Amino acid sequence: MYKKMHFVIPVLIFLVMSKLCYSQQKNEVKWLNIQELEALQKKNPRKVLIDIYTDWCGWCKTMDKKTYQNEAVINIINKNYYAVKLDAETKDKLMFKGKEYVYRRDYRSNELAVYLLNGQMSYPHTVFLDESLEMLTSVPGFVNADEFIPILNYFGGDFYKKMKWGEYQSRTKKMK
């Protein structure tokens, strides 16, 4: 009997620990692709954040690890936005707003990235769209979490409709 219990206890501990690990899944940004975005946007419109990156971009990887892993950033994005990851160099044909976008050799990028970045091809680049998929702004380069949170709140909380960015910044600094 003792030998059987000696075997059963570790198995039970393993099962309990496994269940705890699965129940405590890491919180992360719910990334979509362009097709998923348009389907969701028709059902329940939201603002959109598009992270435009390339596989070779070191700062893109740093932003993924530092900014998009920040708990506050994750919560704001998942609450207020549909988040899309877009590889600027994808050779896939993409449909967006009823138009097909293909890879362009002259830009070494997909036409959708060229369109969203207005030809200013730098990475990483964060694009914000409103609920109608119209451009709000684009933010070039790496942005750390502390700088990104006010930007996310400015657009996600519709403060851009009431005041200019500078006024919003000065008001939020006074509240700290």
Side-chain angles (χ1 to χ4, degrees):
M1 176 78 169
Y2 176 72
K3 287 183 182 178
K4 286 184 181 177
M5 289 299 286
H6 188 69
F7 174 75
V8 170
I9 290 174
V11 171
L12 286 173
I13 290 171
F14 173 77
L15 291 172
V16 169
M17 295 303 290
S18 296
K19 184 161 176 73
L20 284 174
C21 289
Y22 280 112
S23 66
Q24 295 177 349
Q25 288 179 343
K26 188 176 178 189
N27 191 17
E28 55 189 30
V29 174
K30 294 174 185 131
W31 295 107
L32 307 170
N33 62 41
I34 291 294
Q35 291 75 24
E36 293 168 325
L37 165 67
E38 290 208 275
L40 287 170
Q41 198 70 347
K42 288 177 185 174
K43 294 177 188 173
N44 182 26
R46 280 186 173 184
K47 288 182 188 59
V48 177
L49 174 151
I50 303 177
D51 175 39
I52 302 177
Y53 71 96
T54 64
D55 289 335
W56 51 262
C57 169
W59 284 110
C60 299
K61 292 173 184 162
T62 302
M63 194 155 171
D64 281 341
K65 288 179 186 164
K66 294 189 175 189
T67 306
Y68 290 122
Q69 295 296 315
N70 178 281
E71 196 70 28
V73 169
I74 293 166
N75 291 334
I76 295 166
I77 291 174
N78 288 342
K79 178 182 176 193
N80 296 311
Y81 296 90
Y82 289 128
V84 174
K85 278 263 188 216
L86 177 61
D87 178 357
E89 296 177 336
T90 185
K91 292 185 169 69
D92 295 341
K93 290 181 183 178
L94 302 173
M95 291 296 295
F96 183 68
K97 295 172 61 174
K99 184 176 182 210
E100 183 177 87
Y101 294 87
V102 297
Y103 181 81
R104 284 191 45 189
R105 270 182 206 255
D106 53 334
Y107 278 99
R108 294 183 53 221
S109 298
N110 189 287
E111 290 174 326
L112 180 56
V114 175
Y115 166 73
L116 291 169
L117 298 180
N118 215 11
Q120 303 299 309
M121 310 311 288
S122 66
Y123 314 105
H125 219 116
T126 309
V127 173
F128 291 88
L129 306 177
D130 67 12
E131 295 85 349
S132 300
L133 301 177
E134 296 301 321
M135 177 72 73
L136 291 173
T137 197
S138 68
V139 180
F142 168 81
V143 184
N144 70 40
D146 290 340
E147 296 169 331
F148 205 47
I149 290 168
I151 298 168
L152 292 169
N153 285 328
Y154 179 68
F155 292 106
D158 287 335
F159 292 101
Y160 73 97
K161 293 178 179 178
K162 305 168 198 154
M163 63 185 86
K164 300 259 186 234
W165 171 246
E167 182 184 353
Y168 175 78
Q169 279 185 305
S170 65
R171 285 188 182 194
T172 54
K173 284 179 183 175
K174 288 177 187 175
M175 293 191 286
K176 287 183 181 181

